[in-house]
Amino acid sequence: MLDFLNPILGRKPDRMKANVEIYTWQTCPYCIRAKSLLWWKGVNYTEYKIDGDEAARNAMAQRANGRRSVPQIFINNQHVGGCDEIHKLDAEGNLEPLLVQPAV
């Protein structure tokens, strides 16, 4: 819709090829912060809103090596952690290389 702003904002959605999944709660500030970073990078992601759904939370925890906090983020089926971890990856310059890798 506002794709003409992408070059101005430095967003590169055409480069982002990874399959990104994020488990969230709707009002979780960390979830919102993580999704904002993904949006800023131009990533299309699949969001699983697990508010109050204990079965979904258990499924997430099984994928996330037992972690039950939200958000939990997966890039190309690899668990990368939560909000702090994805922001750390970005600060270190290690997030974008993961995001440009196509899903297998």
Side-chain angles (χ1 to χ4, degrees):
M1 183 168 135
L2 299 174
D3 290 340
F4 70 93
L5 289 174
N6 286 339
I8 297 166
L9 297 174
R11 295 179 75 234
K12 303 168 192 157
D14 54 317
R15 293 189 59 221
M16 303 303 151
K17 307 291 186 206
N19 177 37
V20 179
E21 301 169 277
I22 181 170
Y23 288 82
T24 65
W25 275 36
Q26 203 165 10
T27 58
C28 165
Y30 299 103
C31 300
I32 294 166
R33 187 170 178 245
K35 291 188 303 182
S36 294
L37 175 60
L38 293 172
W39 176 87
W40 192 260
K41 294 287 183 184
V43 175
N44 289 320
Y45 55 85
T46 302
E47 180 178 11
Y48 304 109
K49 297 177 185 175
I50 63 168
D51 301 64
D53 185 341
E54 197 59 31
R57 190 172 204 155
N58 288 336
M60 174 200 73
Q62 187 171 22
R63 285 187 75 192
N65 304 313
R67 291 181 66 177
R68 296 182 54 81
S69 60
V70 288
Q72 291 301 318
I73 304 159
F74 297 83
I75 300 175
N76 289 336
N77 214 26
Q78 175 189 346
H79 180 238
V80 295
C83 182
D84 291 342
E85 289 86 1
I86 199 167
H87 277 274
K88 182 179 179 191
L89 282 171
D90 186 46
E92 294 171 345
N94 295 324
L95 179 59
E96 206 158 310
L98 292 175
L99 296 173
V100 298
Q101 294 298 315
V104 180

